[in-house]
Amino acid sequence: MSTEPVALLADEDELIDGQYRDRPQLRPILDAVLAALPELGAVTVQARSTLVSLVTPRRTFDVVQATTKSRVDLGLRLEDVQPEGRLLPAKNLGQATMRIPLTGPDEIDDEVLRWLRLAYEQNSAPAPPPKPAARPAKAIGSMTVVIEGTELPGRTCAPERDGVVRRDVHVALMTRDKDRASLVIPGNPFRATEPAPADSSAVRWEAAVTVRPGENGYDFGGPYVRGARDDRHLGLTWGELPGDGTMRTFRGAKLRLIDIPPGLIAEAMSPGNRLVGRVRLTDPRGNPVCARLHPPYLTWSAEPAQ
């Protein structure tokens, strides 16, 4: 990591001093982030009253904010990236989509620098010209998908590095179907249907998925399907229920339909059959599973409808 400092204008330096005046022990975290910038390329540092924005020649790719007196949030503007490990959803961090909480400069390790470089690269490249929307192929049928979840983590957990304890945790299937009983997810076009307490012995959801021809097998659609064509998946979401008709989500998991062998899809679509996904819902640390799921946490099979 480069140790060359980034030069700041006097006004910017004063703004930053104000951000860390009552939390000087956190200033070395910002300094360590700034020291890493020369290796990325051209970066402009823009100080505000509450945060520091880092800008490529194209647009902002990162913000640094002393969120509490014991934590700095490194906010990253990342596309097509889901929360995983230390990478958490960003809230109230400008245009950042993800954040990494930091409590000391030694936490800016190779993993953090990789995410920082990815954010820089994604926001430096020229925006691709818009492509005309491809007309979806004609549907060849509908498939019933059953999701059966076991080994749930419990109603209380603390999956994040900042130590926030989640209580009254539930898990739900995501959908755009407003006719099915569901809860609103603030800021998300999808809703949380049939939320189940995370201390249940088992959970189950059923969804209809439209199947079309795809480039390498099948493509999928319908109100339960999320993602671009190369990332079609069903989504599970974890959250707390404040009792106001919403679900305050903090973590999600992908069950990728696009990964299923075409032969298994064809078998599941045959009369009297269905596709069954069995999910282990607790990760090795005892927290809710998240991000893209793989075996042994997710297995698919074609089975007769009961």
Side-chain angles (χ1 to χ4, degrees):
M1 183 173 72
S2 172
T3 57
E4 291 296 322
V6 172
L8 298 172
L9 299 177
D11 290 346
E12 293 174 334
D13 210 16
E14 291 177 3
L15 287 170
I16 293 173
D17 286 342
Q19 294 173 23
Y20 293 90
R21 184 168 292 117
D22 62 344
R23 57 201 76 183
Q25 77 281 3
L26 297 181
R27 177 63 186 265
I29 300 175
L30 171 64
D31 293 338
V33 173
L34 297 180
L37 299 183
E39 292 189 0
L40 300 180
V43 178
T44 300
V45 179
Q46 298 178 349
R48 306 283 192 267
S49 59
T50 60
L51 54 79
V52 174
S53 297
L54 307 179
V55 187
T56 74
R58 179 184 168 202
R59 63 185 184 185
T60 299
F61 73 99
D62 177 86
V63 296
V64 185
Q65 177 176 283
T67 307
T68 72
K69 292 187 177 181
S70 61
R71 187 188 85 235
V72 168
D73 280 324
L74 181 67
L76 302 162
R77 186 173 185 171
L78 294 167
E79 299 177 1
D80 300 322
V81 173
Q82 296 295 319
E84 61 174 272
R86 299 166 65 185
L87 197 64
L88 309 177
K91 296 180 180 179
N92 303 318
L93 279 176
Q95 296 175 326
T97 59
M98 297 289 161
R99 68 180 177 93
I100 299 177
L102 302 167
T103 58
D106 58 320
E107 295 181 4
I108 302 177
D109 54 14
D110 289 344
E111 178 188 1
V112 173
L113 294 177
R114 283 196 300 272
W115 287 120
L116 190 65
R117 176 170 293 279
L118 178 60
Y120 181 86
E121 292 173 350
Q122 285 189 353
N123 294 282
S124 296
K131 295 181 180 180
R135 298 177 67 89
K138 184 177 179 180
I140 58 177
S142 180
M143 174 176 64
T144 298
V145 182
V146 175
I147 304 300
E148 297 180 348
T150 58
E151 300 181 39
L152 281 81
R155 292 278 279 272
T156 302
C157 62
E160 321 303 354
R161 288 173 61 89
D162 56 13
V164 173
V165 177
R166 307 290 182 175
R167 306 183 189 280
D168 193 29
V169 177
H170 285 64
V171 60
L173 178 66
M174 301 184 75
T175 182
R176 293 192 305 269
D177 185 358
K178 295 183 179 180
D179 294 330
R180 186 167 178 176
S182 57
L183 300 176
V184 172
I185 302 175
N188 194 314
F190 279 78
R191 302 165 70 91
T193 189
E194 298 177 11
D199 59 356
S200 303
S201 59
V203 291
R204 183 183 185 278
W205 300 274
E206 186 170 314
V209 172
T210 301
V211 183
R212 296 183 172 88
E215 291 183 2
N216 298 308
Y218 294 106
D219 189 19
F220 306 94
Y224 301 93
V225 177
R226 295 161 44 88
R229 289 191 177 186
D230 59 353
D231 188 37
R232 300 288 200 220
H233 64 273
L234 303 179
L236 298 182
T237 187
W238 299 90
E240 298 168 294
L241 306 186
D244 60 357
T246 67
M247 186 172 184
R248 305 291 173 165
T249 59
F250 62 88
R251 182 170 275 204
K254 286 184 179 182
L255 284 63
R256 296 216 333 159
L257 299 168
I258 201 71
D259 292 339
I260 303 173
L264 187 58
I265 296 295
E267 185 180 353
M269 291 181 63
S270 63
N273 279 4
R274 60 185 183 172
L275 181 69
V276 179
R278 292 186 171 86
V279 191
R280 289 165 52 182
L281 294 172
T282 300
D283 70 13
R285 297 182 179 181
N287 291 314
V289 293
C290 66
R292 178 178 173 182
L293 300 184
H294 303 272
Y297 288 92
L298 172 63
T299 60
W300 295 104
S301 61
E303 300 180 9
Q306 296 178 355

